[in-house]
Amino acid sequence: MSRTSADPPGDSQGARVNEWISIVRRARMHDRTKFIAILMASYASANGTDIFPGVARLAVQTGYDYRTVQRHLRQLRDAGLIEPMPRAKMPRRFATPYRLTIADDTFTRIDVPSPAAEDAAVEKIAAAHRGRHKPTARHKNDVQNEPADDP
């Protein structure tokens, strides 16, 4: 589901969470941005809305500085992946609510390989590492189901 900032303010639907997470997992973005994105999705309702953990809570949960979290949330907004929602009748002390979005131009804002391209990259890495790791001998006390020799 594609939503942009041009959608009417009353439209409170976000992107479907599983579709959104699939895009974020494949996206080439800073690991901290991706971590915050996945954490934001963990707060979302099934329709991609009702996300309001707050910057301070995200800072505590990620171990990042408050300003670092703000910067990565801004990057997610700039990529068209999250959007602040109106604070309609919410007290000022409450966190800004967000919704997950997939803007029409998200794929021009950030690099998101297709699932097939990702699978090809995974296979390339896996093939390069096949056969490189040889099983190591077990510890001398780790004998596999062999009875001990009694004199």
Side-chain angles (χ1 to χ4, degrees):
M1 175 180 294
S2 179
R3 301 282 181 208
T4 65
S5 57
D7 288 335
D11 184 3
S12 62
Q13 294 294 305
R16 288 176 293 182
V17 175
N18 287 341
E19 176 187 3
W20 189 88
I21 288 174
S22 176
I23 290 168
V24 169
R25 281 193 316 238
R26 291 191 325 268
R28 298 221 167 97
M29 62 176 66
H30 193 281
D31 57 346
R32 287 184 177 188
T33 307
K34 191 174 287 197
F35 180 41
I36 290 171
I38 298 297
L39 189 56
M40 291 285 284
S42 74
Y43 282 97
S45 61
N47 68 358
T49 61
D50 301 325
I51 306 167
F52 40 92
V55 175
R57 183 171 306 279
L58 291 171
V60 168
Q61 292 177 345
T62 60
Y64 303 152
D65 181 73
Y66 188 92
R67 287 190 175 266
T68 299
V69 171
Q70 286 181 316
R71 183 174 60 251
H72 291 287
L73 287 173
R74 186 175 342 101
Q75 289 173 1
L76 290 169
R77 284 192 309 272
D78 292 347
L81 291 169
I82 62 171
E83 180 177 77
M85 297 295 295
R87 298 180 59 92
K89 300 179 185 175
M90 289 179 66
R92 179 106 175 114
R93 69 182 182 277
F94 282 39
T96 300
Y98 283 92
R99 69 176 174 180
L100 306 178
T101 59
I102 303 169
D104 292 333
D105 63 346
T106 292
F107 297 103
T108 60
R109 296 180 190 191
I110 57 173
D111 182 18
V112 182
S114 69
E118 181 186 47
D119 289 345
V122 168
E123 180 54 35
K124 181 179 178 181
I125 291 171
H129 289 278
R130 274 191 205 107
R132 294 177 91 182
H133 300 286
K134 297 180 182 174
T136 58
R138 297 181 140 224
H139 189 274
K140 66 181 179 178
N141 292 334
D142 291 342
V143 180
Q144 295 178 356
N145 299 323
E146 293 181 17
D149 292 329
D150 290 327

